[in-house]
Amino acid sequence: AQSVTQLGSHVSVSEGALVLLRCNYSSSVPPYLFWYVQYPNQGLQLLLKYTSAATLVKGINGFEAEFKKSETSFHLTKPSAHMSDAAEYFCAVSEYGGSQGNLIFGKGTKLSVKP
Amino acid sequence: ETGVTQSPTHLIKTRGQQVTLRCSSQSGHNTVSWYQQALGQGPQFIFQYYREEENGRGNFPPRFSGLQFPNYSSELNVNALELDDSALYLCASSLGLAGVSGQETQYFGPGTRLLVL
C-alpha cells in the first residue's frame, strides 16, 4: 500500500533562509509524486510534480524538489523564504498505472516565515 | 478559463441530517474527485467520477454517495450526518482518468466547510 510521511508538522524559518520540507513515500510500484500548497481558507494549489522524467523538478514560486529513489524521498526546497510562503504544504503520491486516480496525502507541514 | 468552483462555501447541519455539496469542474475536464480534509489532517480520497461513472472509492461508508452530470459537474451527498463528518470537502477536476497514468494534475476548488452539530 502506498503512503506518504511528512517529517515535521510545523517548520519555522526566517525570511531569506532556506526552506526544506521533508517527504518520504512508500510505494511498491513507480510513483508519481506531488507537492501542493494550501493557504488559509483556500483549496490546494499544485506546486510541482514528479512523473518519472527528470529527478529534479522545478515548480512555481521558486520551489523545487528532488526525487531520490534510494532514499524514497521527495523533499521540497526553496533557497530563500518569503513572507508570502507561509502556508501549509502537502506531499502526495499517486500510483502509476493504478485504476484509481486518488492522491494519497501526507498530514501536511505548516511553514511559518519570521521577518 | 474558469477554475473549479464549489458551493456552498460554508454549511452548518445537525446530526442525522442530509447534505448535498456541489462542484463545477474546470472547463474541459471530465473527471472529478472528492476529498475530505479533517482539521489538522491531509485530504482523504472519497471517490472519483469519470464520464458520469464512479471510478474508484476510498474507505468511506455508503452514506457518502455522489453523482456526475453530463456537463461533468458533480455532487457529493452525505446521509445521516455524524459529528465526525465535520471537515473541509474538496473537489478536484482533471482531464482524463488520472489514475490510468497517475500523472494527470488534479485542480482543486476552494472547498466547502461543513460543520455538524
Short mmCIF file of all heavy atoms in Angstrom, two decimals, chain A residues 56-114:
data_model
loop_
_atom_site.label_atom_id
_atom_site.label_comp_id
_atom_site.label_asym_id
_atom_site.label_seq_id
_atom_site.Cartn_x
_atom_site.Cartn_y
_atom_site.Cartn_z
N LEU A 56 15.09 16.07 -10.72
CA LEU A 56 14.98 17.38 -10.09
C LEU A 56 13.86 18.14 -10.78
O LEU A 56 13.92 18.40 -11.98
CB LEU A 56 16.31 18.15 -10.21
CG LEU A 56 16.34 19.53 -9.55
CD1 LEU A 56 16.13 19.40 -8.03
CD2 LEU A 56 17.65 20.23 -9.84
N VAL A 57 12.86 18.45 -10.01
CA VAL A 57 11.65 19.07 -10.56
C VAL A 57 11.55 20.51 -10.08
O VAL A 57 11.67 20.77 -8.88
CB VAL A 57 10.40 18.29 -10.12
CG1 VAL A 57 9.16 18.92 -10.75
CG2 VAL A 57 10.50 16.84 -10.49
N LYS A 58 11.35 21.41 -11.01
CA LYS A 58 11.17 22.82 -10.65
C LYS A 58 9.70 23.16 -10.72
O LYS A 58 8.99 22.75 -11.64
CB LYS A 58 11.98 23.71 -11.58
CG LYS A 58 13.48 23.51 -11.43
CD LYS A 58 14.27 24.52 -12.23
CE LYS A 58 15.78 24.26 -12.14
NZ LYS A 58 16.26 24.36 -10.74
N GLY A 59 9.25 23.92 -9.72
CA GLY A 59 7.85 24.28 -9.67
C GLY A 59 7.65 25.78 -9.68
O GLY A 59 8.53 26.54 -10.05
N ILE A 60 6.48 26.17 -9.21
CA ILE A 60 6.17 27.59 -9.18
C ILE A 60 6.73 28.25 -7.93
O ILE A 60 7.10 27.56 -6.97
CB ILE A 60 4.64 27.81 -9.25
CG1 ILE A 60 3.94 27.19 -8.03
CG2 ILE A 60 4.08 27.26 -10.56
CD1 ILE A 60 2.47 27.56 -7.92
N ASN A 61 6.80 29.56 -7.97
CA ASN A 61 7.21 30.36 -6.81
C ASN A 61 8.61 30.03 -6.30
O ASN A 61 8.90 30.23 -5.13
CB ASN A 61 6.21 30.21 -5.65
CG ASN A 61 4.81 30.64 -6.04
OD1 ASN A 61 4.63 31.39 -7.00
ND2 ASN A 61 3.82 30.16 -5.32
N GLY A 62 9.49 29.52 -7.18
CA GLY A 62 10.87 29.25 -6.81
C GLY A 62 11.10 27.95 -6.07
O GLY A 62 12.22 27.67 -5.61
N PHE A 63 10.10 27.12 -5.92
CA PHE A 63 10.25 25.83 -5.24
C PHE A 63 10.77 24.76 -6.20
O PHE A 63 10.52 24.81 -7.39
CB PHE A 63 8.91 25.37 -4.66
CG PHE A 63 8.50 26.10 -3.43
CD1 PHE A 63 7.67 27.21 -3.50
CD2 PHE A 63 8.95 25.67 -2.18
CE1 PHE A 63 7.30 27.88 -2.35
CE2 PHE A 63 8.58 26.34 -1.03
CZ PHE A 63 7.75 27.45 -1.12
N GLU A 64 11.50 23.81 -5.65
CA GLU A 64 11.92 22.64 -6.40
C GLU A 64 11.99 21.44 -5.46
O GLU A 64 12.00 21.59 -4.24
CB GLU A 64 13.26 22.87 -7.10
CG GLU A 64 14.44 23.11 -6.20
CD GLU A 64 15.72 23.33 -6.99
OE1 GLU A 64 15.67 23.97 -8.07
OE2 GLU A 64 16.77 22.87 -6.53
N ALA A 65 11.99 20.25 -6.07
CA ALA A 65 12.05 19.02 -5.28
C ALA A 65 12.88 18.00 -6.05
O ALA A 65 12.88 17.99 -7.28
CB ALA A 65 10.66 18.48 -5.00
N GLU A 66 13.56 17.15 -5.31
CA GLU A 66 14.39 16.12 -5.92
C GLU A 66 13.89 14.74 -5.55
O GLU A 66 13.73 14.42 -4.35
CB GLU A 66 15.84 16.27 -5.51
CG GLU A 66 16.77 15.31 -6.26
CD GLU A 66 18.24 15.58 -6.00
OE1 GLU A 66 18.57 16.43 -5.15
OE2 GLU A 66 19.07 14.92 -6.67
N PHE A 67 13.64 13.92 -6.56
CA PHE A 67 13.22 12.53 -6.33
C PHE A 67 14.46 11.68 -6.12
O PHE A 67 15.34 11.63 -6.97
CB PHE A 67 12.43 12.01 -7.54
CG PHE A 67 12.10 10.55 -7.48
CD1 PHE A 67 11.14 10.09 -6.59
CD2 PHE A 67 12.73 9.63 -8.31
CE1 PHE A 67 10.82 8.74 -6.52
CE2 PHE A 67 12.42 8.29 -8.27
CZ PHE A 67 11.46 7.84 -7.37
N LYS A 68 14.53 11.02 -4.96
CA LYS A 68 15.65 10.12 -4.66
C LYS A 68 15.08 8.74 -4.35
O LYS A 68 14.59 8.48 -3.24
CB LYS A 68 16.46 10.65 -3.48
CG LYS A 68 17.23 11.93 -3.79
CD LYS A 68 18.14 12.32 -2.63
CE LYS A 68 18.96 13.54 -2.98
NZ LYS A 68 19.87 13.94 -1.88
N LYS A 69 15.19 7.86 -5.34
CA LYS A 69 14.61 6.53 -5.20
C LYS A 69 15.28 5.76 -4.07
O LYS A 69 14.62 5.05 -3.30
CB LYS A 69 14.74 5.77 -6.51
CG LYS A 69 14.08 4.40 -6.52
CD LYS A 69 14.22 3.74 -7.88
CE LYS A 69 13.59 2.35 -7.86
NZ LYS A 69 13.72 1.68 -9.18
N SER A 70 16.61 5.88 -3.96
CA SER A 70 17.35 5.12 -2.94
C SER A 70 16.95 5.52 -1.53
O SER A 70 17.04 4.71 -0.60
CB SER A 70 18.85 5.33 -3.12
OG SER A 70 19.18 6.70 -2.98
N GLU A 71 16.50 6.76 -1.38
CA GLU A 71 16.09 7.25 -0.06
C GLU A 71 14.56 7.31 0.07
O GLU A 71 14.06 7.70 1.12
CB GLU A 71 16.68 8.64 0.19
CG GLU A 71 18.21 8.66 0.19
CD GLU A 71 18.77 10.06 0.37
OE1 GLU A 71 18.00 10.99 0.65
OE2 GLU A 71 20.00 10.21 0.21
N THR A 72 13.86 6.93 -0.97
CA THR A 72 12.38 7.06 -1.06
C THR A 72 11.94 8.43 -0.54
O THR A 72 11.03 8.53 0.30
CB THR A 72 11.66 5.92 -0.30
OG1 THR A 72 11.99 5.97 1.09
CG2 THR A 72 12.00 4.58 -0.89
N SER A 73 12.60 9.47 -1.06
CA SER A 73 12.30 10.81 -0.59
C SER A 73 11.95 11.73 -1.75
O SER A 73 12.33 11.50 -2.90
CB SER A 73 13.48 11.38 0.20
OG SER A 73 14.58 11.62 -0.66
N PHE A 74 11.25 12.79 -1.41
CA PHE A 74 10.87 13.82 -2.38
C PHE A 74 10.75 15.13 -1.60
O PHE A 74 9.69 15.68 -1.43
CB PHE A 74 9.56 13.44 -3.07
CG PHE A 74 9.19 14.29 -4.24
CD1 PHE A 74 10.04 14.43 -5.32
CD2 PHE A 74 7.97 14.95 -4.29
CE1 PHE A 74 9.71 15.21 -6.42
CE2 PHE A 74 7.60 15.73 -5.38
CZ PHE A 74 8.48 15.86 -6.45
N HIS A 75 11.88 15.62 -1.11
CA HIS A 75 11.89 16.81 -0.26
C HIS A 75 11.72 18.08 -1.10
O HIS A 75 12.26 18.19 -2.21
CB HIS A 75 13.20 16.89 0.52
CG HIS A 75 13.46 15.70 1.40
ND1 HIS A 75 12.46 14.95 1.97
CD2 HIS A 75 14.64 15.16 1.82
CE1 HIS A 75 12.98 13.98 2.69
NE2 HIS A 75 14.31 14.08 2.62
N LEU A 76 11.03 19.04 -0.52
CA LEU A 76 10.74 20.32 -1.18
C LEU A 76 11.69 21.38 -0.63
O LEU A 76 11.86 21.48 0.59
CB LEU A 76 9.30 20.73 -0.89
CG LEU A 76 8.79 22.03 -1.52
CD1 LEU A 76 8.64 21.87 -3.04
CD2 LEU A 76 7.47 22.45 -0.90
N THR A 77 12.29 22.16 -1.53
CA THR A 77 13.22 23.20 -1.09
C THR A 77 12.95 24.51 -1.83
O THR A 77 12.36 24.54 -2.92
CB THR A 77 14.69 22.80 -1.34
OG1 THR A 77 14.88 22.57 -2.74
CG2 THR A 77 15.07 21.55 -0.57
N LYS A 78 13.39 25.58 -1.17
CA LYS A 78 13.39 26.91 -1.77
C LYS A 78 14.57 27.66 -1.18
O LYS A 78 14.72 27.67 0.05
CB LYS A 78 12.08 27.64 -1.50
CG LYS A 78 12.03 29.02 -2.16
CD LYS A 78 10.67 29.68 -2.00
CE LYS A 78 10.66 31.06 -2.67
NZ LYS A 78 9.34 31.71 -2.62
N PRO A 79 15.43 28.23 -2.00
CA PRO A 79 16.68 28.83 -1.49
C PRO A 79 16.44 29.98 -0.50
O PRO A 79 17.20 30.13 0.45
CB PRO A 79 17.37 29.34 -2.75
CG PRO A 79 16.76 28.58 -3.88
CD PRO A 79 15.35 28.31 -3.47
N SER A 80 15.39 30.77 -0.73
CA SER A 80 15.20 31.97 0.07
C SER A 80 13.71 32.17 0.36
O SER A 80 12.93 32.42 -0.55
CB SER A 80 15.76 33.18 -0.68
OG SER A 80 15.51 34.37 0.04
N ALA A 81 13.35 32.05 1.62
CA ALA A 81 11.94 32.14 2.00
C ALA A 81 11.42 33.58 1.94
O ALA A 81 12.13 34.53 2.28
CB ALA A 81 11.76 31.60 3.41
N HIS A 82 10.17 33.70 1.51
CA HIS A 82 9.47 34.98 1.52
C HIS A 82 8.31 34.87 2.50
O HIS A 82 7.79 33.78 2.76
CB HIS A 82 8.93 35.30 0.13
CG HIS A 82 10.00 35.58 -0.86
ND1 HIS A 82 10.41 36.84 -1.21
CD2 HIS A 82 10.77 34.73 -1.59
CE1 HIS A 82 11.37 36.76 -2.12
NE2 HIS A 82 11.61 35.50 -2.36
N MET A 83 7.88 36.01 3.01
CA MET A 83 6.74 36.02 3.93
C MET A 83 5.53 35.37 3.29
O MET A 83 4.74 34.69 3.96
CB MET A 83 6.41 37.45 4.35
CG MET A 83 7.51 38.15 5.13
SD MET A 83 7.86 37.38 6.71
CE MET A 83 6.33 37.72 7.59
N SER A 84 5.37 35.54 1.99
CA SER A 84 4.20 35.01 1.28
C SER A 84 4.21 33.48 1.17
O SER A 84 3.23 32.89 0.73
CB SER A 84 4.11 35.61 -0.12
OG SER A 84 5.28 35.29 -0.86
N ASP A 85 5.34 32.85 1.55
CA ASP A 85 5.41 31.38 1.50
C ASP A 85 4.74 30.73 2.71
O ASP A 85 4.58 29.50 2.75
CB ASP A 85 6.88 30.92 1.44
CG ASP A 85 7.57 31.33 0.15
OD1 ASP A 85 6.88 31.41 -0.88
OD2 ASP A 85 8.78 31.60 0.20
N ALA A 86 4.35 31.52 3.69
CA ALA A 86 3.71 30.97 4.89
C ALA A 86 2.39 30.33 4.51
O ALA A 86 1.48 30.99 3.98
CB ALA A 86 3.47 32.08 5.91
N ALA A 87 2.30 29.03 4.71
CA ALA A 87 1.13 28.25 4.29
C ALA A 87 1.33 26.82 4.77
O ALA A 87 2.33 26.51 5.43
CB ALA A 87 1.00 28.27 2.76
N GLU A 88 0.40 25.94 4.42
CA GLU A 88 0.56 24.53 4.73
C GLU A 88 0.89 23.79 3.43
O GLU A 88 0.31 24.08 2.38
CB GLU A 88 -0.70 23.95 5.36
CG GLU A 88 -0.50 22.53 5.87
CD GLU A 88 -1.32 22.24 7.12
OE1 GLU A 88 -2.35 22.90 7.31
OE2 GLU A 88 -0.93 21.31 7.87
N TYR A 89 1.83 22.88 3.51
CA TYR A 89 2.33 22.17 2.35
C TYR A 89 2.05 20.68 2.49
O TYR A 89 2.29 20.08 3.53
CB TYR A 89 3.84 22.42 2.17
CG TYR A 89 4.14 23.86 1.81
CD1 TYR A 89 4.14 24.85 2.79
CD2 TYR A 89 4.37 24.24 0.49
CE1 TYR A 89 4.38 26.18 2.46
CE2 TYR A 89 4.63 25.56 0.16
CZ TYR A 89 4.62 26.52 1.15
OH TYR A 89 4.86 27.84 0.81
N PHE A 90 1.53 20.10 1.42
CA PHE A 90 1.17 18.68 1.42
C PHE A 90 1.93 17.94 0.33
O PHE A 90 1.94 18.38 -0.83
CB PHE A 90 -0.33 18.50 1.19
CG PHE A 90 -1.18 18.99 2.32
CD1 PHE A 90 -1.71 20.27 2.30
CD2 PHE A 90 -1.47 18.17 3.41
CE1 PHE A 90 -2.48 20.74 3.34
CE2 PHE A 90 -2.25 18.63 4.45
CZ PHE A 90 -2.76 19.92 4.42
N CYS A 91 2.51 16.83 0.69
CA CYS A 91 3.12 15.91 -0.25
C CYS A 91 2.09 14.82 -0.56
O CYS A 91 1.34 14.41 0.34
CB CYS A 91 4.38 15.32 0.38
SG CYS A 91 5.29 14.19 -0.67
N ALA A 92 2.04 14.37 -1.81
CA ALA A 92 1.06 13.35 -2.18
C ALA A 92 1.67 12.38 -3.19
O ALA A 92 2.57 12.73 -3.94
CB ALA A 92 -0.20 13.99 -2.77
N VAL A 93 1.15 11.16 -3.19
CA VAL A 93 1.63 10.13 -4.10
C VAL A 93 0.44 9.55 -4.88
O VAL A 93 -0.67 9.45 -4.37
CB VAL A 93 2.37 9.01 -3.33
CG1 VAL A 93 1.45 8.30 -2.35
CG2 VAL A 93 3.01 8.01 -4.27
N SER A 94 0.69 9.23 -6.13
CA SER A 94 -0.31 8.61 -6.98
C SER A 94 0.35 7.40 -7.63
O SER A 94 1.50 7.47 -8.05
CB SER A 94 -0.78 9.59 -8.05
OG SER A 94 -1.63 8.96 -8.98
N GLU A 95 -0.38 6.34 -7.71
CA GLU A 95 0.19 5.10 -8.20
C GLU A 95 0.15 5.04 -9.72
O GLU A 95 -0.91 5.15 -10.32
CB GLU A 95 -0.57 3.91 -7.63
CG GLU A 95 0.04 2.57 -7.97
CD GLU A 95 -0.70 1.44 -7.27
OE1 GLU A 95 -0.52 1.27 -6.06
OE2 GLU A 95 -1.48 0.76 -7.94
N TYR A 96 1.32 4.86 -10.33
CA TYR A 96 1.39 4.73 -11.78
C TYR A 96 0.63 3.49 -12.22
O TYR A 96 0.79 2.42 -11.67
CB TYR A 96 2.85 4.63 -12.22
CG TYR A 96 3.01 4.25 -13.67
CD1 TYR A 96 2.81 5.21 -14.66
CD2 TYR A 96 3.36 2.97 -14.04
CE1 TYR A 96 2.93 4.87 -15.99
CE2 TYR A 96 3.51 2.63 -15.37
CZ TYR A 96 3.29 3.58 -16.35
OH TYR A 96 3.42 3.24 -17.65
N GLY A 97 -0.20 3.67 -13.22
CA GLY A 97 -0.92 2.54 -13.76
C GLY A 97 -2.07 2.08 -12.91
O GLY A 97 -2.75 1.11 -13.22
N GLY A 98 -2.32 2.78 -11.82
CA GLY A 98 -3.43 2.38 -10.97
C GLY A 98 -4.76 2.68 -11.64
O GLY A 98 -4.85 3.52 -12.52
N SER A 99 -5.77 1.98 -11.21
CA SER A 99 -7.09 2.18 -11.82
C SER A 99 -7.84 3.33 -11.20
O SER A 99 -8.87 3.74 -11.69
CB SER A 99 -7.92 0.90 -11.69
OG SER A 99 -8.09 0.58 -10.33
N GLN A 100 -7.34 3.82 -10.11
CA GLN A 100 -8.00 4.93 -9.45
C GLN A 100 -7.08 6.14 -9.47
O GLN A 100 -5.88 6.03 -9.39
CB GLN A 100 -8.33 4.57 -8.01
CG GLN A 100 -9.26 3.39 -7.88
CD GLN A 100 -9.57 3.11 -6.42
OE1 GLN A 100 -9.38 3.96 -5.58
NE2 GLN A 100 -10.05 1.93 -6.14
N GLY A 101 -7.70 7.28 -9.56
CA GLY A 101 -6.92 8.50 -9.65
C GLY A 101 -6.70 9.17 -8.34
O GLY A 101 -6.40 10.36 -8.31
N ASN A 102 -6.86 8.39 -7.25
CA ASN A 102 -6.79 9.08 -5.97
C ASN A 102 -5.36 9.43 -5.61
O ASN A 102 -4.41 8.71 -5.91
CB ASN A 102 -7.38 8.21 -4.87
CG ASN A 102 -6.74 6.85 -4.81
OD1 ASN A 102 -6.77 6.11 -5.78
ND2 ASN A 102 -6.13 6.53 -3.69
N LEU A 103 -5.22 10.58 -4.99
CA LEU A 103 -3.97 11.01 -4.40
C LEU A 103 -3.97 10.62 -2.93
O LEU A 103 -4.98 10.77 -2.24
CB LEU A 103 -3.81 12.51 -4.53
CG LEU A 103 -3.63 13.07 -5.96
CD1 LEU A 103 -3.72 14.58 -5.95
CD2 LEU A 103 -2.31 12.60 -6.54
N ILE A 104 -2.84 10.13 -2.46
CA ILE A 104 -2.67 9.83 -1.04
C ILE A 104 -1.78 10.92 -0.46
O ILE A 104 -0.63 11.07 -0.90
CB ILE A 104 -2.06 8.44 -0.84
CG1 ILE A 104 -3.02 7.39 -1.42
CG2 ILE A 104 -1.80 8.17 0.64
CD1 ILE A 104 -2.42 6.02 -1.51
N PHE A 105 -2.34 11.66 0.48
CA PHE A 105 -1.65 12.83 1.02
C PHE A 105 -0.98 12.53 2.35
O PHE A 105 -1.43 11.69 3.13
CB PHE A 105 -2.65 13.97 1.26
CG PHE A 105 -3.12 14.66 0.01
CD1 PHE A 105 -4.21 14.17 -0.69
CD2 PHE A 105 -2.48 15.78 -0.45
CE1 PHE A 105 -4.65 14.81 -1.84
CE2 PHE A 105 -2.91 16.44 -1.60
CZ PHE A 105 -4.01 15.94 -2.29
N GLY A 106 0.10 13.27 2.62
CA GLY A 106 0.66 13.29 3.95
C GLY A 106 -0.18 14.19 4.84
O GLY A 106 -1.15 14.81 4.39
N LYS A 107 0.22 14.30 6.12
CA LYS A 107 -0.57 15.08 7.06
C LYS A 107 -0.30 16.58 6.96
O LYS A 107 -1.00 17.36 7.60
CB LYS A 107 -0.30 14.59 8.48
CG LYS A 107 -0.86 13.21 8.73
CD LYS A 107 -0.76 12.82 10.19
CE LYS A 107 -1.45 11.48 10.44
NZ LYS A 107 -1.43 11.09 11.86
N GLY A 108 0.70 16.94 6.18
CA GLY A 108 0.96 18.36 5.96
C GLY A 108 2.04 18.92 6.88
O GLY A 108 2.27 18.41 7.98
N THR A 109 2.71 19.94 6.38
CA THR A 109 3.69 20.69 7.17
C THR A 109 3.34 22.17 7.07
O THR A 109 3.23 22.71 5.95
CB THR A 109 5.12 20.48 6.65
OG1 THR A 109 5.48 19.11 6.78
CG2 THR A 109 6.11 21.34 7.44
N LYS A 110 3.13 22.78 8.23
CA LYS A 110 2.81 24.20 8.25
C LYS A 110 4.10 25.00 8.29
O LYS A 110 4.92 24.81 9.20
CB LYS A 110 1.94 24.53 9.45
CG LYS A 110 1.38 25.94 9.44
CD LYS A 110 0.37 26.14 10.54
CE LYS A 110 -0.24 27.51 10.49
NZ LYS A 110 -1.26 27.72 11.54
N LEU A 111 4.29 25.85 7.32
CA LEU A 111 5.50 26.68 7.23
C LEU A 111 5.21 28.08 7.75
O LEU A 111 4.29 28.74 7.26
CB LEU A 111 6.00 26.76 5.78
CG LEU A 111 7.19 27.67 5.53
CD1 LEU A 111 8.45 27.12 6.23
CD2 LEU A 111 7.45 27.84 4.04
N SER A 112 6.00 28.50 8.72
CA SER A 112 5.93 29.88 9.22
C SER A 112 7.20 30.60 8.78
O SER A 112 8.29 30.01 8.81
CB SER A 112 5.84 29.90 10.75
OG SER A 112 4.68 29.24 11.18
N VAL A 113 7.08 31.86 8.40
CA VAL A 113 8.23 32.65 7.98
C VAL A 113 8.31 33.89 8.87
O VAL A 113 7.39 34.70 8.91
CB VAL A 113 8.12 33.07 6.50
CG1 VAL A 113 9.36 33.86 6.08
CG2 VAL A 113 7.92 31.84 5.61
N LYS A 114 9.43 34.00 9.58
CA LYS A 114 9.63 35.12 10.51
C LYS A 114 10.33 36.27 9.80
O LYS A 114 11.23 36.05 9.01
CB LYS A 114 10.47 34.66 11.69
CG LYS A 114 9.85 33.56 12.53
CD LYS A 114 10.81 33.06 13.60
CE LYS A 114 11.96 32.27 12.99
NZ LYS A 114 12.83 31.65 14.02
#
